[in-house]
Amino acid sequence: MASNPNYNEVTPEVTELANLALANSSISPDDYVKYDVKRGLRDLNGKGVVAGLTEISEIVAKKLVDGKEMPCDGELYYRGINVEQLVSGALKEKRFGFEETAYLLLVGRLPNAEELSAFRGQLSYYRSLPTNFVRDVILKAPSRDIMNSLARSVLNLAAYDERADDTSLPNVMRQCLQMIAVFPLLAVYGYQAYNYKEGNSLYIHAPRAELSMAENILALLRPDASYSFWEAHVLDVCLTLHAEHGGGNNSTFTTHVVTSSGTDTYSCMAAALASLKGPKHGGANIKVIRMFEDMKEKVRDWKDEDEVKAYLQALLDRKAFDKAGLIYGMGHAVYSLSDPRANILRSFVERLSREKGRTEEYELYSLVERLGPQIIAGDRKIYKGVSANVDFYSGFVYHMLDLPLELYTPIFALARVAGWSAHRIEELINMGKIIRPAYQYVGHRQPYKTLEER
């Protein structure tokens, strides 16, 4: 072997090992039927296998009608309160709602004015990084993948915490508040470090105590630290809508599983980040943006329904964009008739598009939202309704806010850390056993042969 190997090279020997693994690790689809294993822990109707109990949030996609489950417009509740009320309440009072949402998720009830002010003060108190952390951790070996950079920074923070392994409830609450407070710094500084590596100017702004989470994100990111109230408010709505989504989504379930082992908060959050990073989970809105960029190049008249339909059909036929056979932003594992988060976001997107002079793009999104389900229903057998999901519009929001693609999934994480924290605390309070589901062995036994015999 070379003394200085190329770590990016896939050698023929490695390819051969991968081929052997493929040959000896492929499970027949028939075995899943034989042993009644629900792949992805969901049945054909999208109903998940119940793996635990939670009081943190509820997703409603079906209702009982004459004793039968029927699809309904989606609803999302945080601690029993409709998320639509959280968003409209903040808008009505001309304030930002994410901090109120985080308080609700963590402790189980809404704060009064005094409690909310104190909670904001706690987040502000913890919104700082250890001395030289930016220089010693973030600016060293910057990565284009900000989710990896974020996870690395989270794990490094454990070295500065003398009580990192203390899983008592007050200490975990303290750690979770710190995570909620510093995630924006870790993500934005991680991006700025990468941007500097690419030959651009380096901007490291300090957070401001009087600003909300959404305001600080925009102020930290932009060279002049400026933003409009409406820009910050729409971003705040996105944070609120992404803060939590039940215990069964992949990253939150990861939080429960990892917490049940008794591990520390930093390891738990790093595991959740690793899960969210996956394009089937947190990276979906990037796919939506890239799909639309391709569509805008290929479709000459954005208002021509036949031309848009032809492009959408080409997507399903694996002849357009990434040839994956998907219309990104359409459909959800749970919702059928509608995703309440997409419904809430739609009106804000329309107003922001007018402010940004991008109404033609918004009209194209609206047309695809209307035509997409028709094309999918006509092309494939579906077991429940198909509608636009939250990723359909959130990526467009971030695009209009001039946020870099590299930060789309990290912004999801900046919001969801509030939900992860609530679920970690819930698991610690109610934890009885380590989570360990069963797997059915379907291989065959082999006789052992010595190396000489082989």
Side-chain angles (χ1 to χ4, degrees), residues 393-404:
Y393 280 117
S394 64
F396 187 35
V397 168
Y398 300 156
H399 205 247
M400 288 191 288
L401 292 176
D402 297 318
L403 303 180

Side-chain angles (χ1 to χ4, degrees), residues 103 111-121:
Y103 184 101
N112 59 33
E114 183 179 348
E115 289 169 333
L116 181 57
S117 177
F119 185 70
R120 288 177 181 273

